[in-house]
């Protein structure tokens, strides 16, 4: 094995690990990424939000992302419920920043990012899993096992856990705590969509509320090659049944081919939380810390935002500056997480659904909601971020209970 001493060790080579490692490498630090799997590998979370482009640009990844032909240009989100249809254009939003992004095959996307980080000088070790973590001394010590059978110890001044659903340090340090969100299941696959119906806009993710069961919703994420990711979030699995009970989906997916090389998959009990986002010699990024719900595609956005916050603060610390991980990382990160949480809760208690499906929505309110849906959940100039719960409740009271048509 080559070097075993680094300034920073990153657990996980997904988007947050790739971005954090690249940003720290650009600052001159010696960084090693430890990834238990080999890429490409499948991960759910295929519809990115425009705010992601800011971090991808800063990490030096944007050109490679733009160049991938299978990625689908995305400029908004559409919602259907019975005969109701509404959409949000992310270029018409309250917050500054990019208004367009992509819908991506995560296997390809994640590999592009970590390959670009490696090209920049980050050391990446695939097939290397972390089995123990000791932060009792002046350095963090990681016990690592490679899938070749080799075991070794790696030391670092600091560790960033970007392990996503693997949640390595939360498990090793007993940081996991139950999410306030009730357990839900997601069942999904990729289909050859063959959509020709002009009602469907491939530049937008389509979120469909079931006509009778409002807590059941279906995503349809188009890629650039006649494939869509399709999935349902509910309590029991009947994906195709629910899809064809929704009028718009039944109409636009009339030529879809469901049987192909992509299997049906399921995840359940995915919402997660932790007791602390940081500790001695470590911080948690993205899904390793907390995952809410897939309804607004916030997972990768929170992951990349946390990577940017942590990388900037850690660089300051490693350069000898005084830092406060609570005031400068945890609390700023939770501004956006809590804003997203408000709208996830509001989706399932129907307040946010009523706001989205309400007719004659105010253009200014639409711009503010569009910013949330575009990922700008940290823009406290937006009243729907700064006072998310109060503004959502007031809006819900204004529009009342919207009925399916």
């Amino acid at each position: 094995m080559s070097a075993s001493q680094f300034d920073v060790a990153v657990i996980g080579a997904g988007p947050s690990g790739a971005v954090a490692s690249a940003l720290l490498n650009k600052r001159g630090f010696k960084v090693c990424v430890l990834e238990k799997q080999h890429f490409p590998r499948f991960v759910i979370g295929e519809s990115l939000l425009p705010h992601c482009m800011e971090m991808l640009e800063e990490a030096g990844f944007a050109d490679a992302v733009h160049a991938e032909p299978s990625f689908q240009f995305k400029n908004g989100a559409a919602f259907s419920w019975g005969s109701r249809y509404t959409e949000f254009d992310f270029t018409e939003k309250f917050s500054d920043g990019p208004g367009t992004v992509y819908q991506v095959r995560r296997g390809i996307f994640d590999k592009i990012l970590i390959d670009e980080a490696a090209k920049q000088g980050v050391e990446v070790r695939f097939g290397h899993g972390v089995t123990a973590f000791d932060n009792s001394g002046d350095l963090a010590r990681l016990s690592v096992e490679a899938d070749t059978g080799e075991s070794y110890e790696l030391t670092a001044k600091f560790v960033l856990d970007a392990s996503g659903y693997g949640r390595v340090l939360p498990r090793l340090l007993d940081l996991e705590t139950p999410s306030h969100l009730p357990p839900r299941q997601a069942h999904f696959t990729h289909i050859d969509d063959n959509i020709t119906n002009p009602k469907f806009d491939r530049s937008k993710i389509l979120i469909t509320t079931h006509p009778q069961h409002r807590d059941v919703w279906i995503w349809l994420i188009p890629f650039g090659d006649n494939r869509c990711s399709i999935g349902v979030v509910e309590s029991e699995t009947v994906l195709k049944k629910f899809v064809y009970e929704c009028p718009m989906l039944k109409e636009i997916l009339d030529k879809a081919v469901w049987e192909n090389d992509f299997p049906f998959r399921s995840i359940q009990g995915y919402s997660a939380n932790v007791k602390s986002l940081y500790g001695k010699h470590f911080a948690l990024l993205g899904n390793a810390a907390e995952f809410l719900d897939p309804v607004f595609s916030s997972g990768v956005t929170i992951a990349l935002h946390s990577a940017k916050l942590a990388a900037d603060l850690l660089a300051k610390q490693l350069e000898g500056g005084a830092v406060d991980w609570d005031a400068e990382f945890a609390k700023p990160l939770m501004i956006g997480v809590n804003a997203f949480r408000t709208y996830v809760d509001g989706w399932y208690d129907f307040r946010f659904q009523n706001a989205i499906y309400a007719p004659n929505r105010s253009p200014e309110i639409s711009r503010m909601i569009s910013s949330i849906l575009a990922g700008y959940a940290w823009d406290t100039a937006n009243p729907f971020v700064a006072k998310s719960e109060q503004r959502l409740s007031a809006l819900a009271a204004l529009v009342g209970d919207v009925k399916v048509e």
Side-chain angles (χ1 to χ4, degrees):
M1 177 54 58
S2 54
S4 60
Q5 295 184 348
F6 292 87
D7 294 316
V8 183
V10 179
I11 305 173
S16 62
V19 165
S21 65
L23 294 177
L24 288 162
N25 178 73
K26 287 176 181 290
R27 297 285 288 265
F29 300 108
K30 188 178 179 182
V31 185
C32 180
V33 177
L34 301 166
E35 170 57 55
K36 187 174 183 178
Q37 295 180 291
H38 290 270
F39 283 23
R41 54 89 168 94
F42 175 80
V43 180
I44 196 65
E46 299 145 321
S47 191
L48 306 181
L49 304 184
H51 178 43
C52 293
M53 294 307 302
E54 296 183 302
M55 282 73 75
L56 296 177
E57 184 74 47
E58 186 172 347
F61 301 160
D63 288 347
V65 171
H66 290 315
E68 172 50 49
S70 71
F71 294 168
Q72 171 65 48
F73 173 82
K74 175 185 175 181
N75 63 10
F79 297 82
S80 74
W81 182 34
S83 63
R84 292 184 182 274
Y85 177 87
T86 188
E87 61 183 37
F88 292 84
D89 184 338
F90 292 161
T91 66
E92 298 176 358
K93 55 180 172 50
F94 176 87
S95 305
D96 293 332
T100 63
V101 68
Y102 295 96
Q103 299 182 139
V104 302
R105 303 258 195 120
R106 281 292 303 277
I108 299 172
F109 177 73
D110 290 12
K111 189 173 189 307
I112 286 173
L113 301 196
I114 198 61
D115 284 353
E116 290 298 308
K119 289 176 187 176
Q120 295 174 15
V122 173
E123 182 168 337
V124 183
R125 299 179 182 177
F126 290 105
H128 288 237
V130 175
T131 58
F133 175 71
D134 179 359
N135 62 345
S136 60
D138 293 335
L139 297 172
R141 298 184 178 277
L142 297 172
S143 299
V144 183
E145 290 185 4
D147 54 13
T148 58
E150 175 188 14
S151 299
Y152 62 95
E153 184 178 83
L154 183 147
T155 60
K157 296 175 183 175
F158 205 88
V159 176
L160 296 176
D161 186 347
S163 60
Y165 295 120
R167 300 170 63 77
V168 172
L169 292 189
R171 287 187 295 102
L172 293 176
L173 298 177
D174 191 27
L175 296 175
E176 293 187 304
T177 187
S179 170
H180 85 292
L181 296 168
R184 296 189 178 96
Q185 302 179 59
H187 310 278
F188 51 95
T189 189
H190 288 180
I191 60 174
D192 301 303
D193 60 85
N194 299 316
I195 297 175
T196 57
N197 193 308
K199 287 186 177 180
F200 182 57
D201 183 351
R202 293 195 79 88
S203 66
K204 294 176 175 62
I205 182 176
L206 175 62
I207 300 296
T208 299
T209 300
H210 190 276
Q212 286 78 45
H213 310 290
R214 291 188 67 181
D215 59 337
V216 174
W217 62 273
I218 297 159
W219 75 74
L220 190 66
I221 301 172
F223 303 128
D225 54 1
N226 191 49
R227 281 235 173 149
C228 277
S229 170
I230 187 166
V232 62
V233 173
E234 40 71 65
S235 56
E236 294 184 7
T237 175
V238 220
L239 175 55
K240 289 177 70 174
K241 175 180 182 294
F242 280 146
V243 164
Y244 288 112
E245 288 174 349
C246 298
M248 182 171 180
L249 294 178
K250 181 178 179 180
E251 182 176 350
I252 66 176
L253 293 176
D254 59 325
K255 301 181 182 68
V257 176
W258 289 73
E259 303 302 327
N260 52 43
D261 59 306
F262 194 92
F264 282 79
R265 300 175 184 265
S266 298
I267 56 173
Q268 53 188 308
Y270 45 72
S271 298
N273 203 352
V274 290
K275 300 171 186 174
S276 177
L277 294 173
Y278 65 93
K280 184 179 179 182
H281 301 320
F282 77 89
L284 308 179
L285 308 183
N287 293 354
E290 180 164 10
F291 182 73
L292 297 173
D293 189 274
V295 64
F296 304 122
S297 305
S298 61
V300 174
T301 303
I302 292 172
L304 296 190
H305 194 96
S306 68
K308 161 69 175 165
L309 281 175
D312 287 351
L313 190 59
L314 180 52
K316 179 182 175 183
Q317 176 174 304
L318 293 175
E319 289 166 354
V323 303
D324 184 332
W325 280 90
D326 188 56
E328 298 176 79
F329 174 69
K331 288 180 179 176
L333 178 59
M334 292 308 295
I335 289 172
V337 173
N338 287 331
F340 277 127
R341 192 196 319 274
T342 295
Y343 298 102
V344 169
D345 288 342
W347 178 263
Y348 288 106
D349 66 23
F350 312 142
R351 289 177 301 154
F352 195 39
Q353 286 194 39
N354 287 336
I356 285 175
Y357 290 119
N360 305 316
R361 199 171 51 234
S362 155
E364 183 61 19
I365 288 176
S366 290
R367 290 179 64 243
M368 293 177 182
I369 293 175
S370 187
S371 284
I372 302 290
L373 297 176
Y376 295 96
W378 292 267
D379 179 8
T380 53
N382 184 349
F384 280 81
V385 171
K387 297 181 178 180
S388 59
E389 183 62 36
Q390 297 95 312
R391 290 303 294 260
L392 176 58
S393 293
L395 180 58
L398 179 66
V399 302
D401 187 20
V402 179
K403 302 298 184 181
V404 67
E405 293 179 351

